[in-house]
């Protein structure tokens, strides 16, 4: 019997591993999903040696996320700061020590006599960054390769996305360009110039990013090329919603016992990345093949909607929405199993956990997709020559047709919805998907199967 798709309309604390549950329960209702997305982004950056195999891709995925918290000025986007400082504390401290080494070397270069030989420049692996030039970013990424032979994930965090463009439009553009590649491991970026101020290398730059933004700043950052070129599909939009007239958000204070849980989780992720000797731990693959059928089910549901609506935005946005949700689910499953000390591949012991992770995947895949459609659905459709509402068509083309319809009736409905896809394409795809069958060959009469 074919398994039926069941959407998940909300998450509960029980659907989250202990370290994430703390942030979910501490946040006001409007901030719960943005809060756990903030924490998940940090955990994914810390877990840079974790990998998982996605059902539609033969390559292992690094757990890379790009999240944007969106709200109007004064809505409380700064809630992200204490979460990031708390979770990234060991890495920030490590980075600070490495930056001191770089500063000491630069001071030595300035004060040394010209004919005096200098020691070799220290090879550092600084990973937490905010504003950075392309040349410096390439150099930092190349340092990972020189030191370890493998890339590590940067953590980009900015409390105000708009500040990243002030005074340096080129750096802003570079960030968008590299961001498309930074979503997947294995996509190399290169610089090769004659400038002595530049740094020439071909490197794999990967990152997790967390930006806070007003709607206007986000629209400036995600220009036409970003919408059309796929930048937007790589992001998860955590929208705080309409908070007009609401009280200022008040988060519960994290208790000492809860902090111990968080610290233990962070410590495990750090130990899964670095050895005591300062080298890298082996890559760890999180077994996620048990989620494959759920991913296919969710994606098939979206494809059915694409066929029924003819929405190009939905067709484009759902694919990476699923990938981002899968990466979050893999992170949650890993955190849960290591917290409880159970084997990730033990289906009997982990069965209950997997039920919650399935719910989490379903919810986050739809949450991510809805955020993309709401923010950029209309713009994308307009670029494709379609006229849709902000969230895509409210009533599907398929549902607007009578149970029995002709090709001419389909053409008229297509015109009414301002869709550019020809009737013959819909008929071909619907027949292939078994949404319709041809009732009468002579007059081209079709009958809906659902």
């Amino acid at each position: 019997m074919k398994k039926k798709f069941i959407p998940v309309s909300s998450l509960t604390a029980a659907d989250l591993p202990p370290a994430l549950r703390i942030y979910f329960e501490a946040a006001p209702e409007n901030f719960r999903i943005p809060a756990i997305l903030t924490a998940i982004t940090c955990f994914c950056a810390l877990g840079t040696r974790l990998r998982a195999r996605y059902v539609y891709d033969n390559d292992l995925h690094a757990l890379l996320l790009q999240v944007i918290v969106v709200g109007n000025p004064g809505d409380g986007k700064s809630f992200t700061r204490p979460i990031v400082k708390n979770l990234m504390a060991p890495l920030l401290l490590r980075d600070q020590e490495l930056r001191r080494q770089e500063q000491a070397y630069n001071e030595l270069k300035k004060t040394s006599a010209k004919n005096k030989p200098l020691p070799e420049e220290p090879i550092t692996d600084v990973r937490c960054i905010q504003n950075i030039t392309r040349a410096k970013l390439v150099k930092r990424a190349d340092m990972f390769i020189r030191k370890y032979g493998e890339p590590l994930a940067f953590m980009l965090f900015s409390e105000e996305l708009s500040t990243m463009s002030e005074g340096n439009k080129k750096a802003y553009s570079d960030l968008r360009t590299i961001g498309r590649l930074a979503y997947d491991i294995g996509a190399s970026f290169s610089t090769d110039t004659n400038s002595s101020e530049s740094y020439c290398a071909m490197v794999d730059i990967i990152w997790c990013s967390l930006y806070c933004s007003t709607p206007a700043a986000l629209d400036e950052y995600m220009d036409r090329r970003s919408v059309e070129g796929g930048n937007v599909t790589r992001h998860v939009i955590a929208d705080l919603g309409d908070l007009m007239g609401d009280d200022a958000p008040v988060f519960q204070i994290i208790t000492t016992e809860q902090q111990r849980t968080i610290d233990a989780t962070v410590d495990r992720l750090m130990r899964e990345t670095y050895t005591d000797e300062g080298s890298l731990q082996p890559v760890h693959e999180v077994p996620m093949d048990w989620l494959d059928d759920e991913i296919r089910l969710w994606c098939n549901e979206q494809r059915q909607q694409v066929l029924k609506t003819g929405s190009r935005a939905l067709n484009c946005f759902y694919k990476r929405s699923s990938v981002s949700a899968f990466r979050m689910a893999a992170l949650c499953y890993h955190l849960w199993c290591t917290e409880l000390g159970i084997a990730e591949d033990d289906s009997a012991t982990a069965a209950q956990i997997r039920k919650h992770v399935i719910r989490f995947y379903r919810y986050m895949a739809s949450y991510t997709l809805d955020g993309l459609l709401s923010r950029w659905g209309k713009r994308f459709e307009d670029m494709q020559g379609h006229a849709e509402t902000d969230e895509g068509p409210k009533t599907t083309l398929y549902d607007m047709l009578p149970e029995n319809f002709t090709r001419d009736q389909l053409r008229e409905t297509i015109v009414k919805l301002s869709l550019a896809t020809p009737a013959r394409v819909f008929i071909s795809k619907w027949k292939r998907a078994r949404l319709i069958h041809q009732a009468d060959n002579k007059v081209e009469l079709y009958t809906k199967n659902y």
Side-chain angles (χ1 to χ4, degrees):
M1 183 178 176
K2 187 177 179 182
K3 190 173 180 180
K4 186 179 179 182
F5 172 75
I6 303 174
V8 175
S9 59
S10 63
L11 287 181
T12 66
D15 295 320
L16 301 167
L20 284 175
R21 195 178 304 155
I22 292 167
Y23 289 107
F24 182 86
E25 294 177 329
E29 187 172 352
N30 273 37
F31 288 76
R32 283 180 169 176
I33 302 303
I36 63 169
L37 281 170
T38 298
I40 289 171
T41 306
C42 295
F43 285 138
C44 283
L46 290 168
T48 187
R49 301 298 285 163
L50 299 178
R51 302 287 186 272
R53 196 175 302 280
Y54 186 61
V55 62
Y56 294 117
D57 196 342
N58 290 326
D59 295 330
L60 287 173
H61 282 227
L63 307 188
L64 304 170
L65 282 181
Q66 299 181 11
V67 174
I68 302 179
V69 177
V70 182
N72 289 312
D75 274 356
K77 298 184 294 297
S78 59
F79 80 87
T80 56
R81 187 196 314 136
I83 297 177
V84 172
K85 288 181 72 174
N86 189 10
L87 296 181
M88 303 303 293
L91 204 56
L92 288 167
L93 182 62
R94 192 174 184 276
D95 283 357
Q96 187 177 32
E97 293 171 354
L98 294 171
R99 284 191 170 97
R100 294 294 183 203
Q101 293 178 25
E102 294 174 348
Q103 290 169 357
Y105 181 78
N106 289 333
E107 288 297 322
L108 183 64
K109 279 176 64 177
K110 289 178 184 178
T111 57
S112 294
K114 290 184 179 180
N115 57 352
K116 184 178 179 181
L118 289 169
E120 289 191 10
E121 181 180 5
I123 300 176
T124 56
D125 57 313
V126 173
R127 293 177 52 202
C128 296
I129 54 179
Q130 289 184 331
N131 292 353
I132 191 168
T133 64
R134 180 175 66 178
K136 186 69 172 181
L137 183 62
V138 169
K139 181 175 182 179
R140 290 218 177 278
D142 195 41
M143 289 287 191
F144 299 154
I145 306 301
R146 290 169 60 187
K147 187 169 185 175
Y148 300 118
E150 298 181 65
L152 296 176
F154 290 108
M155 174 63 187
L156 275 64
F157 173 60
S158 176
E159 288 189 61
E160 289 294 342
L161 181 61
S162 59
T163 62
M164 302 178 75
S165 66
E166 291 175 358
N168 195 343
K169 295 292 183 183
K170 186 176 185 304
Y172 209 37
S173 177
D174 289 342
L175 193 67
R176 284 192 300 247
T177 301
I178 300 172
R180 287 197 292 271
L181 302 175
Y183 183 77
D184 292 300
I185 198 164
S188 297
F189 181 84
S190 66
T191 56
D192 197 1
T193 69
N194 287 324
S195 172
S196 59
E197 300 299 319
S198 186
Y199 187 93
C200 298
M202 179 176 286
V203 290
D204 189 359
I205 300 175
I206 56 175
W207 68 49
C208 291
S209 61
L210 177 67
Y211 305 141
C212 298
S213 177
T214 62
L218 181 57
D219 287 340
E220 181 185 357
Y221 181 67
M222 293 297 183
D223 58 8
R224 181 186 179 90
R225 187 177 299 176
S226 298
V227 176
E228 210 167 24
N231 279 66
V232 297
T233 65
R234 292 164 169 85
H235 286 82
V236 180
I237 303 301
D239 200 321
L240 300 182
D242 187 354
L243 301 177
M244 186 176 67
D246 289 6
D247 287 337
V250 177
F251 284 69
Q252 295 177 20
I253 296 174
I254 291 175
T255 66
T256 303
E257 187 173 341
Q258 288 174 327
Q259 188 60 50
R260 285 198 200 99
T261 300
I262 292 168
D263 291 342
T265 300
V266 171
D267 182 59
R268 279 195 300 273
L269 290 171
M270 288 293 287
R271 284 187 281 108
E272 288 171 358
T273 300
Y274 302 104
T275 67
D276 293 337
E277 294 75 31
S279 58
L280 287 184
Q281 296 281 12
V283 162
H284 173 73
E285 181 179 349
V286 183
M288 294 297 292
D289 55 326
W290 52 269
L291 191 62
D292 289 356
D293 287 344
E294 293 295 333
I295 295 172
R296 291 191 189 98
L297 193 64
W298 187 86
C299 289
N300 285 339
E301 177 67 17
Q302 308 319 309
R303 282 191 285 272
Q304 291 285 315
Q305 291 303 310
V306 169
L307 291 172
K308 289 179 178 181
T309 62
S311 171
R312 301 284 178 173
L314 177 58
N315 187 57
C316 176
F317 292 169
Y318 87 84
K319 297 161 189 172
R320 285 204 180 97
S321 296
S322 175
V323 171
S324 293
F326 163 76
R327 292 176 179 181
M328 293 184 233
L331 185 277
C332 286
Y333 185 61
H334 178 73
L335 292 187
W336 222 326
C337 289
T338 54
E339 167 75 17
L340 299 180
I342 62 176
E344 293 171 336
D345 56 357
D346 187 338
S347 57
T349 309
Q352 195 59 39
I353 292 174
R354 292 179 178 186
K355 289 180 182 177
H356 289 295
V357 176
I358 287 170
R359 278 180 49 81
F360 178 86
Y361 164 79
R362 287 180 184 170
Y363 178 83
M364 290 311 306
S366 296
Y367 177 93
T368 303
L369 176 58
D370 290 346
L372 294 177
L373 288 173
S374 177
R375 178 65 52 182
W376 294 297
K378 185 178 186 303
R379 286 177 67 185
F380 189 89
E381 295 287 359
D382 288 345
M383 290 174 190
Q384 300 293 318
H386 304 286
E388 302 287 357
T389 63
D390 288 345
E391 299 180 9
K394 296 293 184 184
T395 305
T396 71
L397 169 64
Y398 184 84
D399 291 334
M400 288 183 70
L401 293 167
E403 184 178 351
N404 297 291
F405 63 92
T406 65
R407 186 182 290 259
D408 287 340
Q409 286 175 306
L410 174 58
R411 287 196 187 101
E412 289 172 8
T413 311
I414 287 171
V415 171
K416 189 182 296 184
L417 290 175
S418 301
L419 300 175
T421 305
R424 58 181 170 76
V425 174
F426 280 112
I427 288 172
S428 173
K429 290 182 179 293
W430 286 352
K431 287 171 75 174
R432 196 180 311 144
R434 297 182 180 177
L435 291 171
I436 62 171
H437 65 273
Q438 193 159 352
D440 191 326
N441 292 331
K442 294 180 180 178
V443 295
E444 288 193 297
L445 181 67
Y446 301 93
T447 298
K448 295 197 291 187
N449 295 332
Y450 298 98

